[in-house]
Amino acid sequence: MSSSQQIKTSKNDEYYTPKYAVAIILPYLEKFDHIWCPFDKEHSEFVKTLQEKGKKVTFGHIETGQDFFDYEQAPEGVECIVSNPPFSKRDKVFLKLYELGLPFAMIMNNNGLFDSKARYELFKKNNFELLIPKGRMRFFDETMEVKNSPNFQSIYVCNEILEKQIEFCDMEIKEFEDEGTAID
């Protein structure tokens, strides 16, 4: 079974990002006007929040026929790539991102980030940055109910986005609880 088919049929990798987790990357995206969210549907917090900030957003999802792994180049005019990709495909995701050659910011499980020999070599040979939030992100499903409150920390793995190789930031979960974003 191909990677794309596995993603399409697996619900283990289909978790959505809460608005508070999108908010922490926004200050670093100000310089980009056109952003590609290749693992997102139109109701994604990435898509909605970036559009609210006046960004042009190209989005797509395997379920709607846009397979990130089939792209030979980014859609026309795209300046950077931002998303929450399937964690189980992170080797293939990062390889494709570096092949595309655009700045990127991907939410990723930090456990074992450098454990894979292939990923270790990929990061060793290429620029990467880490945006490490205080606290843990909790992910939800399409019903807006928290479905994955992982026992690991998620971070942004970036390329040509941050000012320093490692940045730390606060993640204001409480601020978004009052807006109705599902986190508990």
Side-chain angles (χ1 to χ4, degrees):
M1 179 182 296
S2 73
S3 295
S4 297
Q5 191 60 33
Q6 288 172 0
I7 293 168
K8 206 182 282 190
T9 58
S10 171
K11 289 300 177 184
N12 291 338
D13 273 340
E14 193 64 30
Y15 293 107
Y16 298 89
T17 308
K19 190 170 187 170
Y20 64 84
V22 174
I24 64 175
I25 196 67
L26 291 178
Y28 304 98
L29 301 177
E30 290 180 7
K31 61 187 171 192
F32 303 107
D33 295 320
H34 188 176
I35 299 170
W36 183 21
C37 298
F39 301 97
D40 297 80
K41 299 174 187 173
E42 70 180 315
H43 63 271
S44 155
E45 285 298 336
F46 281 112
V47 173
K48 294 187 311 188
T49 303
L50 290 166
Q51 288 175 337
E52 287 168 8
K53 295 291 182 185
K55 304 295 182 184
K56 180 177 180 180
V57 179
T58 297
F59 60 90
H61 194 276
I62 188 82
E63 288 181 7
T64 55
Q66 297 90 16
D67 185 341
F68 174 70
F69 301 111
D70 288 343
Y71 283 85
E72 292 183 20
Q73 61 186 27
E76 188 174 336
V78 165
E79 299 168 297
C80 79
I81 306 169
V82 179
S83 197
N84 175 2
F87 286 8
S88 70
K89 304 295 176 227
R90 61 185 172 176
D91 284 354
K92 193 170 180 180
V93 167
F94 286 119
L95 182 61
K96 186 67 170 183
L97 287 166
Y98 284 117
E99 285 175 3
L100 292 168
L102 288 173
F104 63 79
M106 295 285 131
I107 291 178
M108 194 54 55
N109 168 357
N110 75 344
N111 287 355
L113 186 60
F114 303 105
D115 283 359
S116 155
K117 188 180 259 187
R119 225 176 14 255
Y120 175 87
E121 290 299 324
L122 188 65
F123 288 132
K124 183 178 171 185
K125 293 176 185 173
N126 292 282
N127 177 62
F128 73 93
E129 304 133 5
L130 304 176
L131 179 62
I132 304 171
K134 179 179 167 187
R136 292 184 181 156
M137 296 176 194
R138 298 183 202 144
F139 302 94
F140 54 93
D141 67 7
E142 287 185 1
T143 67
M144 299 298 286
E145 293 180 30
V146 171
K147 292 295 183 185
N148 187 359
S149 189
N151 61 357
F152 55 79
Q153 185 179 31
S154 295
I155 63 175
Y156 278 93
V157 178
C158 307
N159 175 39
E160 299 179 16
I161 299 286
L162 307 179
E163 294 175 18
K164 298 185 295 188
Q165 187 168 28
I166 299 176
E167 301 249 358
F168 295 90
C169 66
D170 289 328
M171 192 164 51
E172 300 296 330
I173 296 171
K174 179 70 176 133
E175 174 184 340
F176 293 99
E177 285 177 326
D178 299 333
E179 292 182 17
T181 300
I183 61 170
D184 267 329

